[in-house]
DNA sequence: ATCTCCCGCCATGTT
DNA sequence: AACATGGCGGGAGAT
């Protein structure tokens, strides 16, 4: 029971508990944090003092059944959670403690023991959930949220040591950054996409994919003959990764850890391991990584030589720790891979899809200007405060769906192909949704409040419109942002160019329609043919007990599960065939090393890990449904998709194109640039600012410091959005009448800004006060504005560019997440705004041919990007992609933009 | 038996 | 020296 001993010495002078306490529930996720509140919090947060920790944990963890229940409940229900928090944790806690104490006294040994929380209840995952519940996924940017470790530990009644585990992982994702001793800044998921993108890039550069495959191959080839170590070693050497590539923590230039302490160990463990682990998911095709492989790779990098069991074991332990946190973040999910050797634990990526560098490049065309983001946010907050509920009624605007009905079969096919990708986004959606709902609640009438699972309804359906869609990259798919039927949230769907004209709302219905089975089969076949990898049988176990075995048609399976649409007998037949094939292959595997890529593991859809809390049932289930994957297929598919993406497939390829439409309700990432600590954040300029600085000033300015200087694009007024972020801004209804352009700052909702993270390029441009003509031109040129489309007129200003005065603009942007790009539909409105003297923001441009703007920084950024202060390496690998960013990027810029499709509703 | 992974000792860094 | 961080692995609950 000396538990508290080490981890948290009690008396810390830091962080007076008072401030912290008051701050405590800091930014409640659900509650729309108002500026004032945040400000208060900030001001309150005192010096970094560690509150004398009254850690009576030893006395009896508050982990009484009651506590547990509360925790679980709160974890499951944001509303409840918030309520709880508001209610005052202190009180409840003390009560609990007391109760517990009593319990302890009255129950003797055994009994007391039983009353104690089970191991599960103390899991890191659960703890992480609690931790995350304390902060909003997308905190308002200027109002940073501080995290006082001591306080958190105390409130969560855990040792500080545990908090470190969580924080370290969060740090690896740049969701938090260390400000000082005992203090961290909470960034939420604002930087997540960028971070992931960067990680993916680094992972690619480090050839993790190959390494993984090599390892798998070895295993596959010599089932048990060689020890993993040797395999690993060999693999590593073969690939030529590692030794030198020992990667250190990836951070952004200017964002390095300030504390030496952190630096000292930063290249070690948890943080780095976490990043690497994530990289593995991002680079591997079926985004499933077994612990074993991950451990080997991680160990391999460190010390290829001494790979002993204990080390391996330790690595596994750490991976579990990390996995728990990542699971809580809903980035991964535990699954089991069943192969001949047996079942082995693995994790499946369920986070947002991350475009590869190359892929992203094309898509990154548009980046939301930081200032816009801020504006959006400002608007939002403003709205909350000032604006009257305009249209309280939440209508499920299914609008735009006219198209859905018309949804071409092609689309469906595409959807099928990419469905898996959607899964990943679902989580994001969920998150975004939450945010949205919060916002909505604030803005709209109570009725409009939605549950986290549901999409939020916009205050006024009519007002809410679909945002424009920005064409994305080379990818032929055009993202279309549509209002969510259920919610007022718009989201973007990527359609193939050919499909572009059709806009659909992301809705269940949509999904269903979009996924025809037939296509899947065809695709599959093609893939199979092409694939060099032998199929192996894979099985996915699901929580519900379904076990699917199959190698092919994972799509079908998936489809079936996801959409419930099709389960064609045919597909099953195919499946069986595939299985047979696989078996044959397996039998021959020894003889054929060439086939060797041991991809085929059976993946089982796993039931939700016991630990994981299923907060959002819908989401989870959705994700789960889509879980079944057949590695091979996946892989193949992925490859194809990838290829296509890179090549920028021609339009006719639409079938295969992966529609990544993940309608993801997204929070607007505001200012990545502003973000204090994102190490991975590519945006060059941002990094230059110290955290503190960034927060304070920029917010008000509403303008990102980043922008202008860096890119000058002929087209002013346009803000390039990066597709990579996939974030679309959802623009809530405006209070503006169609004709009327008078948008009061307060009334301005959000601008449809597409946010993207240009990892390499950091192309964030934002122009202010673009001339309308220019905008029009640009839009047309880009194809954003369909020739026939009439942009204006629409009373509902969906995508409203944000007014420069951003300060008062409310942001709703958080709702939508665009994967690739968005098109702003209401250009007219935008123009209007501008005309009115408001500066308009949003319009994607970078890709426009005419805009050659290439950030000079890109190069710099790239270099720094991965630079790991502590480490040597880092990225020697960058070299692996010779063409790296700059050039490629430039080229990209020059590439004529493909036509953007705007769905007009 | 294996999988998970909590727990907390203790080394390392910071203040 | 006291405190902050966090590497690490024993060992026990969960399966």
């Amino acid at each position: 029971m000396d538990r508290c001993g080490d981890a948290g010495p009690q008396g810390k002078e830091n962080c007076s508990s008072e401030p912290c306490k008051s701050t405590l529930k800091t930014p409640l996720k659900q509650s729309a944090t108002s500026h004032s509140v945040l400000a208060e919090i900030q001001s309150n947060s005192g010096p970094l003092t560690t509150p004398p920790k009254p850690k009576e944990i030893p006395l009896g963890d508050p982990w009484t059944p009651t506590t547990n229940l509360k925790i679980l409940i709160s974890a499951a229900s944001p509303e409840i959670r918030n309520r709880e928090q508001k209610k005052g944790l202190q009180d409840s806690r003390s009560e609990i403690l007391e109760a517990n104490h009593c319990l302890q006294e009255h129950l003797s040994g055994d009994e007391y023991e039983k009353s104690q929380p089970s191991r599960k209840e103390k899991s890191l995952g659960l703890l992480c959930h609690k931790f995350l519940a304390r902060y909003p996924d997308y905190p308002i940017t200027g109002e940073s949220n501080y995290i006082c470790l001591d306080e958190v530990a105390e409130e969560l009644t855990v040792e500080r040591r545990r908090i470190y585990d969580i924080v370290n992982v969060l740090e690896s994702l740049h969701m938090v950054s260390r400000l000082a001793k005992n203090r961290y800044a909470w960034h939420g998921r604002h930087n997540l996409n960028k971070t992931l993108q960067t990680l993916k890039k680094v992972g690619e550069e480090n050839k993790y994919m190959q390494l993984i495959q090599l390892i798998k191959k070895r295993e596959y080839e010599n089932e048990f003959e060689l020890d993993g170590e040797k395999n690993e070693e060999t693999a590593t050497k073969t690939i030529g990764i590692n030794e030198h590539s020992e990667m250190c923590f990836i951070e952004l230039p200017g964002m390095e850890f300030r504390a030496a302490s952190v630096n000292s160990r930063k290249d070690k463990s948890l943080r780095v391991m976490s990043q690497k682990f994530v990289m593995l998911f991002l680079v591997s095709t079926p985004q499933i990584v077994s612990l074993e492989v991950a451990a080997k790779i991680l160990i391999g990098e460190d010390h290829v030589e001494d790979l002993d069991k204990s080390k391996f074991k330790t690595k596994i332990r750490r991976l579990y720790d990390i996995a728990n946190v990542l699971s809580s973040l809903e980035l991964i999910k535990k699954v089991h891979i069943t192969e001949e050797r047996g079942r082995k634990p693995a994790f499946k990526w369920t986070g947002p899809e991350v475009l590869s560098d190359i892929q992203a490049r094309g898509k990154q065309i548009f980046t939301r200007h930081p200032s816009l983001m801020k504006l959006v946010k400002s608007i939002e907050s403003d709205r909350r405060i000032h604006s009257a509920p305009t249209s309280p009624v939440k209508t499920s605007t299914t609008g735009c769906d006219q198209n859905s009905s018309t949804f071409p079969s092609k689309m469906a096919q595409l959807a099928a192909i990419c469905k898996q990708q959607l899964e990943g986004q679902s989580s994001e959606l969920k998150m975004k949704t939450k945010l949205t709902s919060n916002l909505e609640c604030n803005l709209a009438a109570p009725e409009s409040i939605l549950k986290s699972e549901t999409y939020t309804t916009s205050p006024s359906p009519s007002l809410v419109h679909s945002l424009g869609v920005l064409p994305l990259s080379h990818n032929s798919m055009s993202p279309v942002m549509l209002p969510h039927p259920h919610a007022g949230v718009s989201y973007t769907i990527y359609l193939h160019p050919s499909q572009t004209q059709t806009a659909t709302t992301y809705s269940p219905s949509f999904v269903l329609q979009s996924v025809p089975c037939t296509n899947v089969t065809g695709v599959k076949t093609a893939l199979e043919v092409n694939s060099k990898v032998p199929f192996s049988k894979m099985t996915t176990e699901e929580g519900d007990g379904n076990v699917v075995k199959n190698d092919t048609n994972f799509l079908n399976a998936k489809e079936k599960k996801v959409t419930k649409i099709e389960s064609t007998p045919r597909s099953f037949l195919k499946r069986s065939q595939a299985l047979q094939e696989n078996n044959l292959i397996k039998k021959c595997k020894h003889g054929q090393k060439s086939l060797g890529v041991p991809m085929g593991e059976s993946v089982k859809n796993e039931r939700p890990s016991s630990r994981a809390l299923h907060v959002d049932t819908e989401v989870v289930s959705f994700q789960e449904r889509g879980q079944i994957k057949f590695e091979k297929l996946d892989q193949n598919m992925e490859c194809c998709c990838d290829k296509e993406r890179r090549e920028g497939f021609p339009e006719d390829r639409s079938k295969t194109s992966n529609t990544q439409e993940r309608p993801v309700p997204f929070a607007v990432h505001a200012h990545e640039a502003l973000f204090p600590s994102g190490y991975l954040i590519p945006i060059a300029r941002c990094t230059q600012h110290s955290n503190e600085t960034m927060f304070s000033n920029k917010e008000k300015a509403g303008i990102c410091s980043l922008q202008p200087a860096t890119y000058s694009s002929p087209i002013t007024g346009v803000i390039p959005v990066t597709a990579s972020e996939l974030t679309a801004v959802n623009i809530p209804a405006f209070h503006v009448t169609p004709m009327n352009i008078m948008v009061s700052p307060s009334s301005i909702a959000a601008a449809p800004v597409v946010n993207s993270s240009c990892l390499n390029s950091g192309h964030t441009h934002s122009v202010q006060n673009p001339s309308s003509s220019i905008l029009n031109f640009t839009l047309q040129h880009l194809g954003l504005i369909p020739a026939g489309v009439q942009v204006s007129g629409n009373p509902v200003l969906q995508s409203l560019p944000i007014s420069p005065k951003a300060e008062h603009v409310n942001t709703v942007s958080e709702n939508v997440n665009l994967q690739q790009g968005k098109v702003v539909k209401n250009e007219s409105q935008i123009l209007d705004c501008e005309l009115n003297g408001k500066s308009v923001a949003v319009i994607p441009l970078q890709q426009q041919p005419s805009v050659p703007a290439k950030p000079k920084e890109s190069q710099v950024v790239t270099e720094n990007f991965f630079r790991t202060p502590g480490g040597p390496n880092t990225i020697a690998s960058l070299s692996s992609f010779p063409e790296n960013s700059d050039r490629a990027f430039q080229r990209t810029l020059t590439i004529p933009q493909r036509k953007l499709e705007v769905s007009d509703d």
Side-chain angles (χ1 to χ4, degrees):
Chain A
M1 281 237 147
D2 59 355
R3 271 158 92 173
C4 356
D6 42 74
Q10 329 263 284
K12 268 85 229 216
E13 66 293 341
N14 289 339
C15 244
S16 54
S17 44
E18 283 75 283
C20 293
K21 286 178 181 176
S22 53
T23 313
L24 173 67
K25 299 63 211 230
T26 333
L28 297 183
K29 258 182 180 169
Q30 304 294 323
S31 62
T33 33
S34 66
H35 288 299
S36 60
V37 172
L38 290 173
E40 186 180 4
I41 291 169
Q42 282 188 312
S43 61
N44 283 336
S45 43
L48 325 171
T49 38
T50 304
K53 205 176 262 182
K55 222 175 204 179
E56 34 267 286
I57 298 172
L59 294 182
D61 284 272
W63 287 99
T64 58
T66 307
T67 315
N68 295 326
L69 182 61
K70 285 188 177 185
I71 291 166
L72 289 171
I73 292 172
S74 65
S77 167
E79 284 79 20
I80 293 174
R81 177 177 59 215
N82 290 330
R83 237 177 284 149
E84 277 293 319
Q85 292 185 327
K86 288 186 176 175
K87 208 195 292 177
L89 292 179
Q90 296 297 320
D91 297 343
S92 57
R93 224 201 324 169
S94 56
E95 290 174 15
I96 294 169
L97 277 174
E98 232 173 86
N100 195 49
H101 188 65
C102 292
L103 244 182
Q104 199 172 4
E105 290 183 343
H106 297 290
L107 300 178
S108 56
D110 221 33
E111 293 176 304
Y112 179 68
E113 212 50 30
K114 290 180 180 177
S115 69
Q116 291 300 297
S118 69
R119 191 181 167 83
K120 277 188 179 179
E121 294 170 317
K122 297 184 206 171
S123 74
L124 192 60
L126 182 55
L127 178 61
C128 188
H129 268 290
K130 294 194 287 180
F131 181 92
L132 295 174
R134 298 166 52 90
Y135 311 95
D137 283 347
Y138 297 93
I140 291 176
T141 320
E143 333 254 350
S144 57
N145 304 295
Y146 295 112
I147 298 171
C148 176
L149 299 185
D150 283 313
E151 185 181 324
V152 174
E154 186 185 342
E155 291 172 3
L156 298 181
T157 62
V158 293
E159 299 169 44
R160 215 200 242 173
R161 181 71 195 73
R162 296 296 138 258
I163 299 298
Y164 285 128
D165 288 337
I166 293 171
V167 167
N168 287 342
V169 174
L170 293 178
E171 214 177 351
S172 75
L173 298 173
H174 303 122
M175 287 180 70
V176 300
S177 61
R178 188 172 185 274
L179 294 177
K181 168 182 158 190
N182 222 315
R183 170 163 295 196
Y184 276 80
W186 172 255
H187 305 307
R189 302 172 104 113
H190 282 303
N191 291 325
L192 195 55
N193 281 336
K194 286 187 175 176
T195 299
L196 296 177
Q197 202 167 35
T198 301
L199 291 176
K200 183 171 185 178
K201 180 182 179 182
V202 174
E204 290 172 342
E205 292 172 345
N206 281 341
K207 299 178 183 174
Y208 274 147
M209 169 84 103
Q210 289 107 303
L211 187 51
I212 292 172
Q213 296 194 335
L214 248 178
I215 291 173
K216 286 184 179 179
K217 185 178 181 179
R218 306 275 184 201
E219 291 178 355
Y220 190 71
E221 292 177 345
N222 355 274
E223 305 239 68
F224 307 95
E225 295 154 37
L226 298 178
D227 349 16
E229 299 130 60
K230 283 202 169 183
N231 289 330
E232 165 37 19
E233 192 176 339
T234 308
T236 301
K237 289 185 177 177
T238 302
I239 295 177
I241 304 181
N242 83 49
E243 282 118 69
H244 54 291
S245 69
E246 227 167 68
M247 221 184 326
C248 295
F249 186 73
I250 297 171
E251 53 191 19
L252 291 180
M255 303 304 248
E256 296 87 4
F257 289 107
R258 291 184 202 153
S261 64
V262 181
N263 281 311
S264 66
R265 302 189 204 176
K266 77 176 160 203
D267 47 23
K268 287 186 180 181
S269 62
L270 228 60
R271 260 186 287 261
V272 174
M273 270 184 79
S274 174
Q275 291 191 328
K276 290 179 180 176
F277 190 38
V278 169
M279 279 180 211
L280 295 180
F281 287 102
L282 301 178
V283 304
S284 55
T285 307
Q287 295 187 299
I288 295 173
V289 177
S290 68
L291 283 178
E292 190 183 334
V293 171
K296 287 179 178 177
I297 290 175
L298 296 183
I299 291 173
E301 283 200 331
D302 294 340
H303 305 287
V304 183
E305 328 70 41
D306 52 5
L307 194 38
D308 52 50
K309 290 228 164 167
S310 65
K311 186 151 196 167
F312 184 76
K313 262 181 83 178
T314 296
K315 222 63 172 176
I316 294 289
R317 285 195 198 98
R318 297 289 80 77
L319 284 174
Y320 274 118
D321 291 339
I322 294 167
N324 280 323
V325 175
L326 295 179
S327 293
S328 293
L329 288 170
E330 292 173 26
L331 292 178
I332 63 174
K333 172 189 166 188
K334 193 205 248 165
V335 298
H336 283 96
I337 294 176
T338 302
E339 3 177 52
E340 295 168 348
R341 300 172 81 172
R343 209 172 94 130
K344 55 184 185 180
F347 289 86
K348 176 184 186 294
W349 182 256
T350 57
E353 186 193 351
V354 179
L355 298 176
S356 70
D357 195 40
I358 296 172
Q359 299 173 312
R361 217 168 267 157
K363 297 180 180 182
Q364 292 180 0
I365 304 162
F366 308 104
T367 301
R368 176 190 294 127
H369 191 287
S371 62
L372 288 178
M373 301 188 141
K374 290 186 177 182
L375 287 175
V376 174
K377 295 201 169 187
S378 302
I379 291 171
E380 250 216 4
S381 54
D382 193 60
R383 231 193 194 179
R384 282 184 212 127
I385 300 170
H386 306 288
S387 67
T390 332
S391 38
V393 180
K394 90 178 176 190
T395 319
S396 46
T397 327
T398 311
C400 2
D401 260 355
Q402 28 185 358
N403 297 324
S404 61
S405 56
T406 352
F407 217 87
S409 58
K410 267 190 179 182
M411 226 11 236
Q413 294 177 356
L414 289 176
I417 294 171
C418 301
K419 196 162 281 175
Q420 46 178 328
Q421 297 183 354
L422 287 174
E423 298 173 5
Q425 301 261 327
S426 62
S427 61
E428 278 236 28
L429 248 177
K430 177 182 87 185
M431 300 193 294
K432 305 254 171 178
T433 303
K434 286 181 184 175
L435 179 63
T436 302
S437 61
N438 289 335
L439 294 174
E440 292 294 339
C441 293
N442 294 328
L443 298 174
E447 304 108 270
S448 63
I449 298 170
L450 298 181
K451 307 250 168 172
S452 57
E453 284 100 302
T454 334
Y455 295 101
T456 306
T457 302
S458 69
S460 61
S462 60
L463 292 179
V464 176
H465 219 92
S466 55
L467 294 181
V469 177
L470 294 184
L472 288 188
S473 48
H474 50 312
N475 212 333
S476 50
M477 298 184 293
S478 308
V480 178
M481 196 179 216
L482 303 172
H484 189 283
H486 301 301
V489 180
S490 311
Y491 45 88
T492 304
I493 297 174
Y494 294 89
L495 302 179
H496 183 278
S498 60
Q499 304 292 338
T500 23
Q501 297 301 331
T502 311
T504 304
T505 299
Y506 174 67
S507 63
S509 60
F510 165 92
V511 173
L512 292 174
Q513 294 176 10
S514 64
V515 186
C517 309
T518 49
N519 200 5
V520 171
T521 302
V523 172
K524 175 191 89 179
T525 304
L527 291 175
E528 287 179 344
V529 172
N530 295 330
S531 112
K532 299 173 182 178
V533 179
F535 286 91
S536 53
K537 118 192 158 188
M538 298 179 66
T539 57
T540 302
E541 292 179 357
E542 291 194 5
D544 48 18
N546 294 333
V547 176
V548 177
K549 292 196 173 185
N550 142 355
D551 313 13
T552 49
N553 287 334
F554 73 98
L555 281 178
N556 285 328
K558 223 177 182 180
E559 287 307 331
K560 184 172 113 191
K561 283 204 157 193
V562 176
T563 51
K564 301 177 180 179
I565 297 176
E566 62 181 2
S567 34
T568 331
R570 188 180 180 180
S571 64
F572 287 113
L573 290 176
K574 285 232 168 186
R575 242 192 238 171
S576 49
Q577 288 181 346
L579 283 174
Q580 292 180 4
E581 272 184 58
N582 292 333
N583 291 331
L584 288 174
I585 293 169
K586 283 188 177 179
K587 292 179 181 177
C588 303
K589 69 184 173 186
H590 290 296
Q592 307 175 326
K593 291 194 174 184
S594 58
L595 293 180
V597 184
M599 302 307 303
E601 300 177 348
S602 27
V603 178
K604 296 189 174 184
N605 236 358
E606 167 184 344
R607 57 191 173 184
S609 69
S610 52
R611 297 185 160 206
L613 293 180
H614 296 279
V615 179
D616 294 331
T617 314
E618 285 185 19
V619 173
V620 172
S621 60
F622 175 71
Q623 292 180 343
E624 293 198 359
R625 282 185 234 151
Q627 303 268 337
I628 300 172
K629 290 191 177 182
F630 301 90
E631 290 201 6
K632 282 217 173 150
L633 260 183
D634 262 349
Q635 203 167 22
N636 292 332
M637 299 272 306
E638 291 280 339
C639 294
C640 291
C641 292
D642 232 35
K643 214 175 186 178
E644 290 184 351
R645 287 178 207 143
R646 302 186 188 199
E647 296 172 357
F649 31 70
E651 328 220 329
D652 47 32
R653 287 202 175 193
S654 52
K655 293 177 183 178
T656 27
S657 66
N658 57 350
T659 33
Q660 309 185 318
E661 44 272 334
R662 289 161 174 209
V664 181
F666 221 89
V668 174
H669 296 218
H671 55 3
E672 285 107 336
L674 300 181
F675 202 165
S677 83
Y679 309 104
L680 300 179
I681 298 172
I683 297 176
R685 299 237 171 154
C686 297
T687 56
Q688 324 251 358
H689 302 275
S690 66
N691 301 339
E692 291 80 0
T693 306
M694 294 166 100
F695 276 140
S696 51
N697 308 329
K698 303 200 172 173
E699 275 305 296
K700 309 240 158 166
I703 294 173
C704 170
S705 59
L706 299 178
Q707 49 173 284
T710 310
Y711 317 85
S712 55
S713 89
I715 305 169
T716 22
V718 175
I719 295 173
V721 176
T722 303
S724 61
E725 298 243 353
L726 305 178
T727 304
V729 175
N730 181 13
I731 296 172
F734 278 69
H735 296 297
V736 181
T737 56
M739 312 291 297
N740 144 10
I741 299 171
M742 323 260 321
V743 177
S744 69
S746 60
S747 64
I748 296 170
V753 176
V754 177
N755 166 2
S756 60
S757 52
C758 313
L759 290 180
N760 312 326
S761 42
H763 308 299
T764 313
H765 308 209
S766 68
V767 178
Q768 299 188 355
N769 302 322
S771 74
S772 59
S773 62
I774 292 172
L775 291 174
N776 287 327
F777 171 80
T778 302
L779 290 173
Q780 290 180 3
H781 192 71
L782 295 177
L784 290 176
I785 302 173
V789 175
Q790 174 186 16
V791 178
S792 58
N794 189 329
V796 178
L797 193 40
Q798 301 185 339
S799 52
L800 191 45
I802 297 169
S803 80
K805 308 220 169 166
E807 307 170 35
H808 298 296
V809 181
N810 282 330
T811 302
V812 181
S813 56
E814 318 245 354
N815 308 332
V816 180
N817 174 11
L818 288 186
Q819 282 239 336
Q820 321 205 328
K822 290 88 189 185
V823 175
V824 175
K825 281 189 172 186
N826 305 310
E827 309 89 311
S828 62
Q829 293 170 354
I830 292 171
L831 291 174
D832 287 346
C833 293
E834 183 179 356
L835 291 174
N836 287 329
K838 306 253 172 185
S839 53
V840 176
V842 187
I843 295 177
L845 271 198
Q846 293 197 346
Q847 297 251 335
Q848 188 174 4
S850 59
V851 182
K854 172 211 163 182
K856 300 175 180 180
E857 257 94 81
S858 63
Q859 181 154 23
V860 174
V861 173
T862 303
E863 293 174 6
N864 294 336
F865 215 2
F866 303 106
R867 145 192 170 210
T868 306
N873 92 353
T874 354
I875 320 195
S877 39
L878 287 177
S879 56
S880 23
F881 290 67
E883 263 308 85
N884 266 337
S885 20
D886 288 279
R887 303 235 157 182
F889 181 65
Q890 287 183 354
R891 291 178 185 174
T892 303
L893 289 177
T894 320
I895 296 169
Q897 171 94 35
R898 86 193 146 78
K899 141 185 169 189
L900 294 179
E901 257 92 27
V902 178
S903 58
D904 41 308
D905 311 304

